[in-house]
Amino acid sequence: MTSHHISVCICTFKRLKLLNRLLDRLQNQRTDGLFTYSVVVTDNDAAQSARQVVSAFATSSHVPATYCVEPQQNIALARNKALHEAKGDLVAFIDDDEFPAADWLCNLFQALQSYGADGVLGPVRPHFESEPPTWVKRGRFFERPSHPTGYRMPWYESRTGNTLFQRRILTHVDPPFRIQFATAGEDMDFFRRAIEHGYSFIWCDEAIVYESVPSLRCSRSYLLRRALLRGSNFPKHPTDRLKSAAKSLVAVPCYTIALPVLAMFGQHMFLRYLIKLFDHASRLLAYLGLKLMTEREMGIE
């Protein structure tokens, strides 16, 4: 009989259709008899809009489910609430706008055991709700870096959208998610502090989840606003602040000068580097105390 139990943590805010799909895909995860698992859903909505969805899942599924509420709209607080309710010796996180392959948890668990790591991360691949424009596909704007299984992850590439880790590391990373990040970047900060404490995280390329990409996100304005959000949160990390600022000071004029030339190679190439320009410009403004974008303003709650 297996002694390992995985608590799968989900934080949600009024995305009920997507949450319902995710819970449905979690019902039949392969375990190969290696572990058991349960689900924890934190509703980041004081009106408890997800209660009925989770209740229906708990009633019909063989997978145990816990529902809790974090009324203050802050993703860090919601993640911490989920961890408080999680009972497993292993913790997995997946976003409510994602859904996993059937062998997702099993592949994460086997990689964790095989490599003796403290945590494992896997790929998040785009799932377009409708056919995206050609420039989106050519620019690969919704694709994230991928690595060979076993690759040791740096903190700045680490996210909670697809991860499994040993619960014991939380004793040295307290609080796990810090509320000053508020809208984004709290997961990178978690991994950065864990790695500084000596914990290791590796990549498992076989543990796949898919992220829903609605047609509204396949726009230039969304991608540029996302760059502003990403850049504005980066300076909150204390690591290499001067190096990061210096890099952005060089990048902004270089990208600005290069953009007219890059436009000759297609709009996807122009936009790729315009996004980089917005990212670095937002970092510099954030160092000066100016923040141009929040997740609420982007409409990606």
Side-chain angles (χ1 to χ4, degrees):
M1 183 176 179
T2 180
S3 60
H4 293 288
H5 183 82
I6 300 174
S7 293
V8 181
C9 295
I10 306 163
C11 299
T12 190
F13 182 81
K14 294 184 179 180
R15 297 195 285 199
L16 304 185
K17 183 178 179 180
L18 296 177
L19 174 63
N20 192 63
R21 179 182 63 183
L22 169 57
L23 292 173
D24 181 66
R25 297 298 181 93
L26 287 173
Q27 288 196 74
N28 297 302
Q29 283 289 297
R30 266 184 48 203
T31 67
D32 291 354
L34 300 173
F35 58 88
T36 57
Y37 69 99
S38 58
V39 172
V40 177
V41 179
T42 300
D43 192 348
N44 201 198
D45 176 19
Q48 303 185 22
S49 55
R51 178 178 288 277
Q52 186 173 351
V53 172
V54 181
S55 178
F57 172 81
T59 300
S60 63
S61 176
H62 66 279
V63 179
T66 299
Y67 174 81
C68 55
V69 179
E70 173 47 64
Q72 184 175 341
Q73 290 180 22
N74 182 302
I75 188 60
L77 288 175
R79 295 198 197 283
N80 288 336
K81 183 74 171 182
L83 287 175
H84 178 75
E85 298 294 331
K87 307 304 180 187
D89 59 310
L90 301 172
V91 175
F93 268 99
I94 186 170
D95 290 345
D96 66 343
D97 61 347
E98 298 173 346
F99 59 93
D103 56 359
W104 169 60
L105 274 182
C106 196
N107 284 330
L108 285 177
F109 179 84
Q110 290 178 326
L112 188 78
Q113 298 295 305
S114 297
Y115 288 88
D118 299 298
V120 184
L121 295 94
V124 178
R125 296 179 181 171
H127 176 80
F128 295 101
E129 294 183 357
S130 58
E131 183 66 16
T134 300
W135 62 267
V136 170
K137 293 189 288 187
R138 292 186 67 188
R140 305 175 72 177
F141 295 110
F142 294 95
E143 296 184 24
R144 306 184 190 186
S146 187
H147 306 285
T149 297
Y151 174 82
R152 190 157 180 159
M153 292 295 292
W155 66 267
Y156 49 83
E157 282 191 30
S158 300
R159 307 288 191 278
T160 51
N162 179 0
T163 187
L164 173 72
F165 57 84
Q166 305 272 4
R167 183 183 180 87
R168 56 178 169 75
I169 74 176
L170 298 177
T171 60
H172 295 110
V173 187
D174 186 32
F177 300 101
R178 300 197 293 182
I179 62 173
Q180 57 262 48
F181 282 85
T183 58
E186 80 294 334
D187 47 357
M188 271 199 300
D189 174 68
F190 165 76
F191 286 105
R192 179 187 58 76
R193 288 181 290 132
I195 289 171
E196 287 177 354
H197 276 286
Y199 295 112
S200 63
F201 300 87
I202 58 104
W203 183 263
C204 177
D205 207 43
E206 295 76 29
I208 301 169
V209 305
Y210 298 91
E211 179 185 25
S212 179
V213 183
S215 57
L216 290 175
R217 292 191 182 185
C218 296
S219 68
R220 299 164 187 81
S221 63
Y222 171 83
L223 292 170
L224 293 173
R225 285 181 287 133
R226 186 174 70 169
L228 292 176
L229 175 66
R230 181 172 56 244
S232 66
N233 279 287
F234 198 87
K236 295 178 182 179
H237 300 284
T239 303
D240 296 329
R241 288 175 60 86
L242 290 178
K243 182 179 178 181
S244 173
K247 182 178 178 181
S248 294
L249 281 170
V250 173
V252 167
C254 288
Y255 288 141
T256 302
I257 294 170
L259 282 176
V261 177
L262 292 168
M264 299 171 60
F265 295 90
Q267 63 173 307
H268 69 286
M269 186 65 70
F270 176 83
L271 185 58
R272 182 181 300 169
Y273 285 90
L274 182 61
I275 288 170
K276 292 179 183 288
L277 172 61
F278 272 47
D279 192 321
H280 285 285
S282 183
R283 291 188 193 189
L284 292 178
L285 290 172
Y287 280 117
L288 298 175
L290 301 174
K291 185 169 183 177
L292 302 181
M293 187 62 56
T294 69
E295 280 195 7
R296 306 299 178 192
E297 291 167 334
M298 288 190 68
I300 58 172
E301 302 164 329

